[in-house]
Amino acid sequence: MKAVEHVIELAGLTKRYGPFTAVDRLNLTIRRGEVFGLLGPNGAGKSTTILMMLGLTEPTEGRVEVCGIHSTTHPLEVKRKVGYLPEDVGFYDPLTGLENLVYIARLNGMAPGRAKEKALMLLERVGMSAEAEKKTGKYSRGMRQRLGLAEVLIKSPEVIILDEPTSGIDPAGVREFMELIRRLSREEGITVLFSSHHLHQVQQICDRVGLFVKGRLVAEGDVGSLSQKLFGGEFLTVKARTEKEPSPVLQETLRGIDGVHAVRRREGLYLIECTQDVTPLIAETLVRSGAGLTYLQKTEYGLDDIYNRYFS
């Protein structure tokens, strides 16, 4: 079968429950091998969208294809290619982590010997080898999510869908989990859809993000393109500090740089407003002046700025 460049394609996807519209005319494509973040507050319609991707609920209107397969008409084929990790993962608590994985592998049609071999390999892959013989009822929240990721990988999926996977995990566990997701995507070429309301986590690992609110995708792209779209008409500010006292001559020299709009002083800093990014020229000018450059920073808008600007 020919490889599909766009692994996930949603066209006019809509889901209504009576008069309530949970997902409203959603259009989205996700490329093979990328990590895409679906970002929005709880209740925005992210989970409903995921259920339609998996063929677990039918859309009211529109089309959804995953790996070139129509999710509504061929849900079982989609499930063979997609691994799904929900917010709360269920295991047989009296069984060990290894026993749970072997059982899942057997359900996926693997022979007993191969099932155990792959289960052990995946436990090592997600950093859970030391906990393989521990009953899952004794696992911490973070350990259960790691085991859940191993379970998702049992069938060697082309796509992994993660729905709020870090909820309830401590900060160190979240960091390790996110690094694991990024590594899996890069090393194995797995496409990842990461649904969350945590801005920092999404920005940390996602190649592109989609901002979702009240069932609608209000914007999508990488952080840089979204920032340019929202803040492109505003001045970029470069902050600089020097060892020597401010010099009127130096300020005039900075003003003379093509692309610099204004130069001000505040709290010991030069505040240089620019119509374009001329940070390297500013740095070179300050160094050549002999003023002793000790600090330089340009304005960078993160996902929290973008999120707040859109939703305000």
Side-chain angles (χ1 to χ4, degrees), residues 126 154 312:
V126 300
I154 279 285
S312 64

Side-chain angles (χ1 to χ4, degrees), residues 235-242 250-264 269-299:
F235 290 122
L236 181 152
T237 301
V238 177
K239 299 177 183 179
R241 180 180 289 112
T242 57
L250 179 54
Q251 287 191 224
E252 284 302 315
T253 303
L254 290 169
R255 286 192 187 97
I257 296 174
D258 189 24
V260 171
H261 172 74
V263 180
R264 296 179 288 115
L269 292 171
Y270 286 103
L271 301 182
I272 308 160
E273 293 182 350
C274 311
T275 57
Q276 56 186 305
D277 187 3
V278 290
T279 307
L281 288 175
I282 292 170
E284 182 182 356
T285 300
L286 290 169
V287 170
R288 286 181 180 275
S289 74
L293 178 63
T294 60
Y295 174 83
L296 188 74
Q297 182 189 45
K298 71 175 180 180
T299 304

Side-chain angles (χ1 to χ4, degrees), residues 62-78:
R63 175 178 57 86
V64 51
E65 290 188 5
V66 179
C67 300
I69 303 167
H70 198 295
S71 296
T72 306
T73 57
H74 298 86
L76 291 180
E77 291 182 32
V78 168

Side-chain angles (χ1 to χ4, degrees), residues 2 12 20 29 35-36 42 47-48 55 62 82 86 101 130-131 145 147 178 198 201 210 226 229 257-258 296:
K2 184 180 177 181
F20 175 68
T29 58
V35 181
F36 187 91
N42 291 328
S47 294
T48 302
V82 178
L101 283 190
E131 313 296 337
Q145 291 302 94
L147 185 63
M178 302 298 279
H198 296 289
Q201 293 174 15
L226 290 175
K229 181 178 178 181
I257 296 174
D258 189 24
L296 188 74

Side-chain angles (χ1 to χ4, degrees), residues 82-147:
V82 178
Y84 173 51
L85 184 64
E87 183 175 354
D88 292 306
V89 189
F91 295 107
Y92 294 102
D93 288 348
L95 301 183
T96 66
L98 177 59
E99 289 168 340
N100 268 280
L101 283 190
V102 169
Y103 180 66
I104 295 298
R106 297 285 289 123
L107 288 178
N108 278 273
M110 287 188 196
R114 174 57 181 156
K116 186 173 183 180
E117 178 186 347
K118 185 156 189 179
L120 287 169
M121 182 270 288
L122 288 174
L123 284 167
E124 182 178 359
R125 190 83 175 88
V126 300
M128 289 285 290
S129 292
E131 313 296 337
E133 301 298 339
K134 186 176 182 178
K135 294 188 185 301
T136 54
K138 302 290 186 181
Y139 278 12
S140 68
R141 168 74 177 175
M143 290 163 61
R144 293 178 75 87
Q145 291 302 94
R146 280 174 172 268
L147 185 63

Side-chain angles (χ1 to χ4, degrees), residues 30 35-50 53 84-87 141 145 160-169 174 177-178 181 192-206 208-214 216-217 219 303 307 311:
I30 299 176
V35 181
F36 187 91
L38 197 58
L39 177 65
N42 291 328
K46 304 187 301 297
S47 294
T48 302
T49 299
I50 288 171
M53 289 182 192
Y84 173 51
L85 184 64
E87 183 175 354
R141 168 74 177 175
Q145 291 302 94
I160 294 177
I161 297 178
L162 310 172
D163 192 2
E164 300 285 359
T166 61
S167 178
I169 304 178
V174 168
F177 187 84
M178 302 298 279
I181 295 300
V192 178
L193 174 65
F194 184 87
S195 171
S196 178
H197 65 278
H198 296 289
L199 281 74
H200 173 69
Q201 293 174 15
V202 170
Q203 181 163 337
Q204 183 181 342
I205 68 165
C206 293
R208 288 191 303 138
V209 298
L211 303 185
F212 214 56
V213 60
K214 294 182 179 178
R216 304 194 70 181
L217 190 69
L303 195 52
Y307 188 88
F311 293 162

